[in-house]
Amino acid sequence: MPSTRESGILTLAAIRRGKGETQYLFNEKQRVLTLAAGGKADRETARLLREAHRRKLPVKAQIDTREGVIRRAGSLSEKELEEFRRNRIVVEKPERAQRLNVSALDPTIFNIEQHHRWVRCFRQCKRIIPNYKKAKKIFDFCAKQTCSLGGPFQVSPCIPFQYVIDGCYARAHKMRWIITQKYHYCCEKVFSFAIPWPDTLAVQANKWGGCCVFWWYHVAPLVRVRLGRWAVLLMVIDPGMFDKPVLLTTWLAAQENKTCSANAKVTQYSIQPGSAYAPNGGPNSYITDPNYTQTDATLLSYQNLVTC
């Protein structure tokens, strides 16, 4: 098994304290993380993370994504901090997140584009997918780029759909590139969140062994698909979870798997322009990755990992 330890510069979205456990939510990691068990060194790491969160400062962290633990964390030098701030690009005028009760959604209404007419980014692109057959063709092309097939691939790097523990932000951004650059259709993003303690997104990874996976947020490409003459459906392209494009309500409901956790709950969702890469402190601000630098680095890091 390849190492699942990784190092990088991360920013804290929230610190959650519950029954005997403190959870750390990083913008750049969908996985919920805790501190590795230890003594004085881990107490110092906890102090540093609290201070970084209070002052909205990035940290250099070594984490184990599979185990869901932070091994160590440190501060950035002034030069590193200056470079980090210079390279961090925030999405201008993002859409507002919406609270919801997934079990109460009416799929005959919620999945129709007109129901979301307040979403400004829908007005920025009108070249929507003409029918479900074309949407399925796009889905199948994306799915065939999974690193688990061993290649050859038509995009580089391959997309590690077989590792759904983390990396949704990179997978979604690479698929956005495919949808907009290869097929030339509109592509937005949909983010789901479970922020208040003890809520969590919980998914059973049936495609990759059946284990349960937990996140504090998830993101995938959102496409608009014409149905007949008048209706336009909102569908999600997520080969890490499904074998075909699915309606937005189906995608949201799959993240509330009560078999995996009694606390499985999507508390908010947010439709954003396709340029949105990852949260920037929560559901109402986002960073982007216009040159796909972070995207490709993450895909390469996860290409040999597996979920279960």
Side-chain angles (χ1 to χ4, degrees), residues 135-136 138-146 148 159-164 171-172 175 178-179 206-208 218-221 236-246 251:
K136 181 63 162 59
I138 294 171
F139 180 98
D140 290 344
F141 178 89
C142 290
K144 287 178 181 177
Q145 310 313 309
T146 179
S148 60
I159 308 177
F161 293 116
Q162 80 287 346
Y163 186 67
V164 297
R171 297 192 301 271
M175 286 189 284
I178 292 170
I179 295 165
N206 293 321
K207 292 184 65 176
W208 314 111
H218 187 45
V219 57
V236 182
I237 307 291
D238 194 347
M241 292 174 59
F242 299 98
D243 293 320
K244 60 185 178 182
V246 296
W251 185 77

Side-chain angles (χ1 to χ4, degrees), residues 56-119:
K56 295 181 169 56
L57 293 174
V59 297
K60 289 187 287 189
Q62 183 188 89
I63 66 172
D64 187 318
T65 305
R66 174 173 289 281
E67 297 298 325
V69 297
I70 306 163
R71 297 294 178 184
R72 61 176 63 90
S75 302
L76 276 66
S77 67
E78 286 298 323
K79 183 178 180 180
E80 290 171 327
L81 186 57
E82 180 183 348
E83 182 180 5
F84 173 82
R85 287 171 171 165
R86 185 172 62 250
N87 294 330
R88 194 170 182 85
I89 304 172
V90 178
V91 174
E92 295 184 7
K93 298 180 180 180
E95 306 287 347
R96 297 292 297 177
Q98 306 293 315
R99 296 189 178 278
L100 80 169
N101 179 351
V102 173
S103 62
L105 295 178
D106 182 346
T108 65
I109 297 174
F110 192 81
N111 293 312
I112 303 297
E113 180 191 32
Q114 184 63 18
H115 180 72
H116 305 268
R117 55 188 175 274
W118 46 266
V119 178

